[in-house]
Every structure is written in C-alpha cells, then in structure tokens.
Amino acid sequence: MAVITIREALNQAMREEMRRDENVFLMGEEVAAYQGAYKVSKGLLEEFGEKRVIDSPITELGFAGLGVGAAMVGLRPVIEFMTFNFSILATDQIINSAAKMLYMSGGQYKVPIVFRGPGGSAYQVSSQHSQALESWFAHFPGVKVVMPATAADAKGLLKSAIRDDDPVIFIEQERMYGSKGEVPDEADFTIPLGVADVKREGTDATIVARSLMVPIALKAAEELEQQGISCEVVDPRTIRPLDIETIINSVKKTNRVVIAEESHPFCGVGAEISAQIMERAFDYLDAPVKRLSGVDAPMPYARNLEKLALPDVARMVAAVREVSYLD
Amino acid sequence: MTEDSTAAATATTAIETEEQDTTTTPLAAAPSELRIEHEQRQQKQREEIHALNKETLHHLLYQMVLIRRFEEKAAEAYTLGKIGGFCHLYIGQEAVAVGSISALRPDDYVITSYRDHGHAIAKGIPADEVMAELYGRAGGCSAGKGGSMHLFDRDVNYLGGHGIVGGQIPLGTGVAFASKYQGTDRATLCYFGEAAVNQGAFHESLNMAQLWKLPCVYICENNQYGMGTSLQRAMSLQNVSEKACAYDVASEFVDGMDVLAVRAATERAVARARQESLPTLLEIRTYRFMGHSMSDPGNYRTRSEIEKFQERDPIKLFRENLKTQNMLTDEENASIEARVKDEVERSAQFADSSPEPAPEELFAHVYANPIVNSEQ
C-alpha cells in the first residue's frame, strides 16, 4: 500500500472518478489555474481541460445553485468551497434546492452532487474561518454528510460520494491535508457511505471521534493504555446517515462513552449521538455520556486561546477517566 | 442575434426609462397615454397575426383560456378547502407563459418560481395532473409531495416550481450549463418575478451566464408587485431590462399583455441561445389580476388600477384581434371555450377521484440511494 497525504488521496479520488465518468466536473474558486487554494485539485486542469475543471467567480450561492441545476439534468458536479465557511452563502441552494429536490418532485429529479472542501478549525484565522458546520447540514434529510479522518477514508469515501445519486456534503479537515496514511493500491478502491470504522479496538471505554478528533482520540487511547484503560475509538465517517449500530455495539461492550468533536456543543452532532445512545443503550451505560466539544464561543485568534477552544489529548484523557470514575 | 439587435433592444429600454420618469410605471401611465400606447400595440399584434397559421393562433388562445379557467377553478377549489397552503394564481399573466413556451421545442427546459401553474400547463403537463397536485393527491405531477409551488414533470422537461424567491435562477443557469456541456442545443427558459431581481441569485447568475456563454433565457415577469410591495417601493432602478448591461447580457423589454410579442421576443432569445450559446434577459411587463396568493386581500392597490390593466387583458385583446383579422369566428371561439371548460371540469374530477398518497410515501424519495444500515 502506498503512503500518501489526505490531499493526494482526495486528488486521486477526483482524478479517477473524472476518468471514469465524463459527466463529473469540478467547479470552485481557484480550483483550476491556481491548482486549488489547498492544492487538492493539483494537475486536474492539465489532464481534463477547462471544460471540466472550472474556476468560478467568488459567487458561492451562484455556483452552488448552478451545480444543483446541472445535476438535475444528468451531470455529476463536484463543487469545491474554498472553505466550508463560505458555504454559508450557499446554504439556500444546498438545503432548499439540493436536499429537497428529489422529494418535492415526487422522485423525478435526483441531485447527484458533491459539495466538498476544508472545514473545521484552521490555524489562527479567528472566528469566521475556523468553525465546524456539520451539524447544520446533517440536520436535513435529503443530504449525506461525510467527514474523513485518514487518507484511505478520504479517497474511498470521496469516490463513493461522487458515484452516489444524492447530494453529499464532504467536509475535509483543514489542518489534516498533510496527514499521511496507507491507501490500498487496488484500482477501484471505494468505501461505502454510512459505515462507521472502529479505528482502535478496546474494552473499557468508547471514544466516538470524527475528523480532527480521530488522531487526538488515538493518541489519548495510547496514553490511557499506559494507565491501564483500554479504549475503543469509533469513527462514524459518515455523519448522515449515521451508522448508529456500530456505536451502540461498542457502547454495549465498554459501557462508557466519550463523544469528541471540534464543533460547538449546542445542537451538535455529539448531542444527537448522545441522545441516540440514551434511547438505545441506556441500560448498558455505567456512567453518563460525556461530550467533549469545542467551546461555546467563537474561535479566537490568539494562539493560547485557540488551543483552549478545542479538545486536546489531555482533556480527552481526562474525559475518559471521568466516565471511568477514576478521578 | 447580432449585436445590432442587442443595441436596438437597449434603445427600446431607454425609451421606456424616459416614460418611467414622467409616470409611475410604463403600463400604469395616464389613461390617455395608455390608450395611445395600447392602440399602437394592438395594431402591431393585428399585423403579427398574419405571420402565423390559424392552428397556431387557436392553440395559443386555447392555452391562455385553459390557464385562465384552470386558475378560476383552482380558486374555487381553494375556497372549498380542497387545496391547501399557498396558492399563487397566474390570472392576467397568461400571455407570458403561453407566448414564450410556444417558442420552444419539446426538449427545451422550463424552470420557474412558485407562481407556476400556467407554465406547467403551457409546457404540457396535463391539467389533470396539475390539479391533482394542487389537491395533494397521488395522481399529481409531483405525486402530491410538492403542491402548488412545486410542480415538476420530467416527461416534458419541466424542472419545477421553486419556493424561495430567486432560488431557481442559479438552477436554470446550471441546466443551461449542462446543455452546453453535453453538446446539445437545448435552450432553458428561467422565469422569475421582478422582486427576485433584488436577490443576489439573479446577479450572480447573469454574471456566470455571460462569462461562460450559457444558453439560458432569463424571463423576468414584471407584474409590478412583490407580494404587497410595489416596484417603486422596492427597486432603486426600476427598469429591469437595463440591468442586463451590467453583465453584458442582451436584453429586451416586452409587452406581456401581447402573446405574440412575447412569442417573438422569446424566439429571438432562443435563437441566440441555440445558435450562439448566449444568454438573454427578457423583461416582460405584465400584471396579476388576483392577489399575491389566495390569502391576499390586496389592500395595497386600487380597484381602478386593476381595472385599468384589465382593459388590456391579454386574452380579451388577442381574441378581439383574431376576430377583426378574420382568424376566429364566434363558433370557433365558442368551441374553444367549450373544450376548455370540459378539460378543466375533467381535471377537477380527476383530482377528486385520485387517491391520497399512501402513508409510506412519507419516507419515499428522501434519498435516491438510501443507506439501510442506519436509522435514517
């Protein structure tokens, strides 16, 4: 297996899918001539030309809607937001158009489109450029929401997202583009949407982690191992539809759970997972579900404050120890 | 179309602007001026009638009358509680949908706003299925899940009724993008009201359409009111067609009470789309005779203003001109009315007899590729 970065894995996924299906095209700000603000689309213009790799004006509502319209009549657009912060301008087209089109047309118009780009926290870019929006999108039936945490997941899930007939919100973590990992060499490697992955097996406590929280959870699990606590790390990978069965099965095994997330806690994905655990596995819990979220404040610029705003290894260790009644 | 015709269109626009400076709106001009303008336009329509064959002319009249009577029936059904929610009627604007869609091929696309019954019928969705959709029945064109504002029919390339003001404009732009990408010469007609012109979606779309040379015809149905707010109270520059120059898009101002003028302008725009892959903005000035929706008491405009526009009722004018030009006999007119009446009655009967959607339809079509291992 090749060891590549998440950036390269995403690039491979788009390249392979564009070779496979000429209806797939990439549109977004700086995706073509500039090779992508984060270089995810490097070399795609060269291979596929201006027809299929299209630099858009800074007009998020417009090109998101253009993508939805094109998808209604047979194309498979990949719409890149330079960051998901800018997708907020496009939410009308994502939520009112893409998510509802199939339903309100009585099943006549599907919208096979991927909205992708970096999300979550970045480094020292303050409040408007450093936030996690997955709970917004995941709230709505009709869209799928995917958040990969490894190079293999990034590639396999993006290929599946492009082939999927529904609108997919594909949130890459801005800090993780350079993270390396093994990716299978097989020609048509895909990972199905809606299937969680147990990133580490364990018996004493479950950490449900997604995106940037996955490597932090794995480090915390290593530290906890030293302290004699065996942690299982479950990565849902797809937020909607959520593979709740895998999470519940883990909780039934460990009886203790910490849900880690970058996003604000209020109305977050962690709150949803917590509620579902309570509904489905209440009798298996030996401690209340613990959420470890980003703080309930906008992201600050100052480096010291920014660190305080996000869950880290030390706080994740402490959270697991708390649900284990060790402190 | 050549650049000359674009310049001519812009010149027309400039004249309208001057008129607008001295009156409230071009069509709401003082009665004497209106009469002069009206008579000139009538004469033009009488001349244009002879460019079309009788069958086409009768079809246009039939469709306009069908939409009028369909909407009257819908209003009646609404008051009886058979139709719920929002119901935006098209009465007064029939010449716009009928004239413009008559310039299309069947494989061309239409997408519009929530005031979508007229376009749906003109594009060829059977009146039965439109009425059944308004009734919320399984036999509706959107299987009862879209309602009045969300009529869809893939079979006739009708891409919906959309409920967020201006939301369909980027969508129509994307449909035109796809036609070009796929190498076809299909045109897209994308309709919206003048109030949607104040939305960013309009400006973003026109910019992209000209930048990428997309075969989209943007049709602004300027009925002069965004719900209860007049154009004058909502738009700093009230001449919509003039805004096209900001994006280097060709534009025309069209009398929306003249079905043949609408058809001719759309033909020019569709030719530009097909042959040159270029967008056009048509501002078609019209007027709705009913309220914004069925729940609108209409206190924001006077009875006399409405009556003034009713003098230019597009159906009445067209019928009178057809008669004076010996293209319609009283018998033929009566036959059209009778056929329309029959079709509308049948649509209401079809809707009444169509079953409600089955309960399991609640969760059908949320996803095209449902994922079964999860709760959703």
Side-chain angles (χ1 to χ4, degrees):
Chain A
M1 286 200 280
V3 175
I4 60 173
T5 63
I6 288 179
R7 175 184 290 109
E8 290 163 333
L10 295 165
N11 181 278
Q12 284 182 9
M14 286 195 286
R15 191 182 297 273
E16 290 173 17
E17 292 308 300
M18 289 180 77
R19 285 176 184 165
R20 182 176 173 270
D21 183 352
E22 65 178 23
N23 290 317
V24 179
F25 70 92
L26 173 66
M27 176 179 281
E29 292 151 8
E30 310 290 3
V31 299
Y34 195 88
Q35 309 279 308
Y38 294 84
K39 301 291 176 264
V40 174
S41 55
K42 190 176 178 185
L44 296 183
L45 174 65
E46 190 181 8
E47 177 168 351
F48 299 103
E50 288 180 350
K51 181 187 173 187
R52 299 180 66 194
V53 184
I54 303 150
D55 278 325
S56 71
I58 300 173
T59 188
E60 284 87 3
L61 174 70
F63 69 74
L66 182 151
V68 176
M72 288 173 75
V73 292
L75 300 187
R76 291 187 170 272
V78 177
I79 299 295
E80 176 175 315
F81 293 118
M82 189 184 286
T83 81
F84 259 92
N85 303 290
F86 313 149
S87 76
I88 292 173
L89 286 125
T91 45
D92 176 53
Q93 289 297 342
I94 297 171
I95 292 165
N96 277 319
S97 295
K100 295 164 174 59
M101 199 68 71
L102 183 74
Y103 194 81
M104 66 186 186
S105 69
Q108 294 179 86
Y109 284 104
K110 63 183 184 183
V111 182
I113 190 169
V114 176
F115 297 102
R116 53 154 289 274
S121 59
Y123 291 111
Q124 282 202 280
V125 288
S126 190
S127 306
Q128 294 180 334
H129 282 73
S130 206
Q131 58 192 326
L133 293 169
E134 60 267 26
S135 69
W136 280 32
F137 297 112
H139 184 65
F140 293 95
V143 291
K144 294 168 180 169
V145 180
V146 178
M147 299 180 78
T150 67
D153 288 352
K155 181 171 181 182
L157 290 167
L158 183 54
K159 283 167 69 78
S160 293
I162 292 170
R163 294 181 195 185
D164 198 89
D165 283 338
D166 293 306
V168 179
I169 307 291
F170 195 94
I171 306 176
E172 302 146 13
Q173 217 298 335
E174 198 159 335
R175 298 181 180 204
M176 293 174 77
Y177 278 131
S179 298
K180 287 185 175 175
E182 289 186 335
V183 175
D185 296 320
E186 62 201 83
D188 208 22
F189 163 68
T190 59
I191 294 172
L193 305 184
V195 180
D197 185 39
V198 177
K199 290 281 192 268
R200 177 191 172 112
E201 292 201 6
T203 53
D204 299 332
T206 298
I207 304 174
V208 180
R210 60 185 187 269
S211 190
L212 182 63
M213 291 299 107
V214 172
I216 292 173
L218 290 170
K219 277 187 197 139
E222 277 175 33
E223 276 193 27
L224 287 157
E225 189 74 47
Q226 305 296 319
Q227 299 171 22
I229 302 166
S230 166
C231 282
E232 182 147 298
V233 177
V234 179
D235 175 4
R237 299 193 292 193
T238 303
I239 308 306
R240 177 189 264 272
L242 182 69
D243 179 3
I244 191 68
E245 294 303 332
T246 299
I247 295 169
I248 295 295
N249 289 340
S250 180
V251 171
K252 284 180 177 174
K253 183 167 73 171
T254 65
N255 313 111
R256 300 166 198 279
V257 60
V258 170
I259 304 165
E261 58 191 3
E262 282 181 85
S263 64
H264 305 301
F266 195 85
C267 296
V269 173
E272 171 64 27
I273 295 172
S274 173
Q276 291 204 33
I277 293 170
M278 188 275 290
E279 288 165 350
R280 290 159 173 257
F282 183 77
D283 290 340
Y284 291 88
L285 288 171
D286 286 344
V289 172
K290 172 78 179 172
R291 280 182 296 155
L292 185 64
S293 309
V295 295
D296 203 20
M299 184 65 83
Y301 168 72
R303 189 170 296 163
N304 65 318
L305 295 179
E306 186 182 75
K307 280 185 179 165
L308 288 173
L310 290 170
D312 58 13
V313 174
R315 265 171 281 170
M316 210 169 295
V317 168
V320 172
R321 291 183 63 85
E322 183 185 325
V323 298
S324 304
Y325 297 127
L326 289 172
D327 292 316
Chain B
M1 281 291 113
T2 62
E3 282 185 21
D4 287 343
S5 67
T6 308
T10 308
T12 312
T13 294
I15 292 164
E16 294 295 342
T17 308
E18 282 165 24
E19 287 179 1
Q20 212 161 359
D21 290 339
T22 55
T23 61
T24 48
T25 70
L27 289 181
S32 60
E33 288 171 15
L34 185 69
R35 245 179 276 125
I36 294 164
E37 200 176 289
H38 169 65
E39 191 44 49
Q40 286 170 345
R41 288 175 177 171
Q42 284 293 88
Q43 182 54 40
K44 193 159 176 286
Q45 188 180 78
R46 285 193 286 270
E47 288 162 16
E48 285 171 347
I49 277 173
H50 298 287
L52 297 174
N53 64 37
K54 201 169 171 180
E55 189 187 350
T56 303
L57 294 165
H58 285 195
H59 182 64
L60 294 173
L61 179 64
Y62 180 86
Q63 284 205 308
M64 287 203 289
V65 176
L66 174 61
I67 293 168
R68 175 71 55 91
R69 301 288 171 254
F70 180 94
E71 294 291 59
E72 289 166 357
K73 191 74 184 176
E76 181 190 319
Y78 192 92
T79 58
L80 293 171
K82 294 188 176 197
I83 299 172
F86 299 139
C87 187
H88 310 87
L89 301 180
Y90 201 59
I91 291 175
Q93 301 183 211
E94 296 91 342
V96 182
V98 170
S100 55
I101 290 170
S102 76
L104 294 183
R105 294 191 316 232
D107 64 338
D108 291 325
Y109 295 108
V110 165
I111 187 165
T112 187
S113 73
Y114 45 80
R115 194 179 303 284
D116 60 343
H117 310 168
H119 310 79
I121 289 170
K123 190 70 173 79
I125 308 183
D128 289 2
E129 293 178 25
V130 177
M131 192 66 89
E133 189 60 35
L134 304 190
Y135 278 45
R137 301 301 174 93
C141 58
S142 304
K145 288 160 88 166
S148 164
M149 296 189 286
H150 306 298
L151 305 172
F152 287 84
D153 191 343
R154 199 179 180 87
D155 292 342
V156 298
N157 296 305
Y158 190 76
L159 292 144
H162 297 269
I164 308 299
V165 172
Q168 74 279 15
I169 309 177
L171 297 175
T173 308
V175 174
F177 174 91
S179 293
K180 183 172 185 180
Y181 188 100
Q182 291 158 338
T184 74
D185 70 344
R186 297 162 89 168
T188 298
L189 300 192
C190 178
Y191 299 83
F192 44 92
E194 85 288 346
V197 170
N198 293 329
Q199 291 275 31
F202 167 83
H203 300 273
E204 296 188 28
S205 295
L206 259 69
N207 183 52
M208 292 188 297
Q210 184 67 11
L211 190 65
W212 295 327
K213 313 288 185 230
L214 304 181
C216 192
V217 181
Y218 297 96
I219 298 183
C220 174
E221 295 193 60
N222 185 350
N223 68 17
Q224 308 172 51
Y225 288 88
M227 201 168 160
T229 303
S230 70
L231 183 62
Q232 288 71 31
R233 292 176 57 218
M235 200 179 281
S236 57
L237 173 76
Q238 289 148 23
N239 201 300
V240 173
S241 58
E242 202 171 70
K243 293 171 196 276
C245 74
Y247 306 102
D248 197 25
V249 169
S251 69
E252 271 194 67
F253 179 93
V254 186
D255 176 9
M257 297 307 196
D258 180 347
V259 66
L260 299 186
V262 172
R263 177 183 163 101
T266 310
E267 281 174 342
R268 290 188 286 275
V270 167
R272 186 178 290 120
R274 282 203 217 294
Q275 292 156 22
E276 302 175 72
S277 191
L278 284 174
T280 304
L281 172 64
L282 299 179
E283 178 190 0
I284 304 186
R285 196 67 70 101
T286 182
Y287 197 82
R288 64 170 153 75
F289 296 164
M290 310 289 280
H292 165 74
S293 68
M294 284 300 293
S295 57
D296 174 12
N299 296 332
Y300 48 86
R301 52 186 193 176
T302 62
R303 189 68 233 162
S304 67
E305 179 186 305
I306 298 170
E307 285 169 357
K308 197 165 63 192
F309 282 101
Q310 284 174 331
E311 286 174 24
R312 300 205 69 244
D313 182 326
I315 297 174
K316 192 177 80 177
L317 297 186
F318 188 50
R319 185 155 44 206
E320 283 171 3
N321 284 336
L322 288 174
K323 283 184 178 174
T324 63
Q325 299 306 299
N326 298 317
M327 292 300 243
L328 182 72
T329 65
D330 288 341
E331 292 73 27
E332 286 167 337
N333 184 51
S335 163
I336 286 172
E337 286 284 355
R339 279 166 50 218
V340 163
K341 188 179 177 197
D342 182 52
E343 185 166 352
V344 170
E345 284 304 321
R346 272 192 292 113
S347 76
Q349 286 163 15
F350 176 84
D352 264 325
S353 63
S354 180
E356 291 179 331
E360 54 269 27
E361 274 294 305
L362 182 61
F363 293 108
H365 304 306
V366 177
Y367 291 101
N369 299 151
I371 293 171
V372 291
N373 71 338
S374 64
E375 187 182 32
Q376 298 99 336

